[in-house]
Amino acid sequence: MRMLYQVVGWYLWMINLIAFALMGVDKAKARRDCWRIRERTLFVAPLLGGSLGGVLGMQVFRHKTRHWQFRYGLPLLLVVQLGLAAWIISYWL
């Protein structure tokens, strides 16, 4: 069971780091008026468990904060994922 917790922990760490980095890279590309990362792609990492990284990336890089889908969608997704995690932990413990 301990191995499962480690794998899940590493997965969540990496997917959140990826979501955070995607926001930073897209913001840098926006400043240079370069090719951009699709909004759909910016939502995939948070949907796969990286919502905390996506929300933090939005705030740190001040990116996509005016788009309602990101402004309200990512924090809502974070709340849902935290609730799901709490339910899973309470169910298994």
Side-chain angles (χ1 to χ4, degrees), residues 20 23 51-62:
F20 183 83
M23 286 291 181
S51 57
L52 179 60
V55 170
L56 289 175
M58 273 179 36
Q59 298 305 314
V60 168
F61 301 113
R62 295 183 184 183

Side-chain angles (χ1 to χ4, degrees), residues 22-41:
L22 283 172
M23 286 291 181
V25 168
D26 194 50
K27 178 66 175 194
K29 288 179 179 260
R31 285 183 178 161
R32 289 181 279 152
D33 200 28
C34 294
W35 167 85
R36 304 281 301 280
I37 298 172
R38 288 179 167 199
E39 287 188 355
R40 185 179 326 159
T41 304

